[in-house]
């Protein structure tokens, strides 16, 4: 694979730099935007529903799942 010729190399230009925000967003601003992003929330909800359905299929008995979780917590506490 050949490297691009110098004329084809991508370098930042004044036009790309002009699109950068003058004041960087704070973490709180980015978190607020992410929490209120409906598409992102829809995607996460779909992923969580999928994972919860897979778990329910593997452990149809809720009592058994709770016993396994308790057992796993005891094993972890003893190992650490």
């Amino acid at each position: 694979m050949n490297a691009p010729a110098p004329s084809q190399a991508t370098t930042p230009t004044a036009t790309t730099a002009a699109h950068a925000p003058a004041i960087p967003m704070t973490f709180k601003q980015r978190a607020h935007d992410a929490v209120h992003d409906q598409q992102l929330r829809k995607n996460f909800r779909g992923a969580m529903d999928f994972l919860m359905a897979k778990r329910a299929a593997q452990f149809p008995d809720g009592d058994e799942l709770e016993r396994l979780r308790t057992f796993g917590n005891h094993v972890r506490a003893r190992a650490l």
Side-chain angles (χ1 to χ4, degrees), residues 4 24 32-33 38 46-48 69 71 73 77:
H32 179 272
D33 290 349
Q38 292 303 312
M48 288 303 299
R69 282 186 173 165
F71 179 71
N73 285 333

Side-chain angles (χ1 to χ4, degrees), residues 3-11:
S7 63
Q8 295 174 342
T10 56
T11 57

Side-chain angles (χ1 to χ4, degrees), residues 35-76:
V35 167
H36 292 88
D37 182 340
Q38 292 303 312
Q39 183 63 47
L40 186 61
R41 292 175 63 89
K42 180 181 173 186
N43 292 347
F44 270 106
R45 181 76 265 159
M48 288 303 299
D49 289 345
F50 171 75
L51 293 171
M52 291 172 71
K54 281 185 73 171
R55 179 180 291 160
Q58 291 298 314
F59 301 101
D61 182 10
D63 292 334
E64 179 185 0
L65 177 58
E66 193 57 39
R67 284 191 301 274
L68 287 171
R69 282 186 173 165
T70 302
F71 179 71
N73 285 333
H74 287 296
V75 170
R76 185 183 64 199

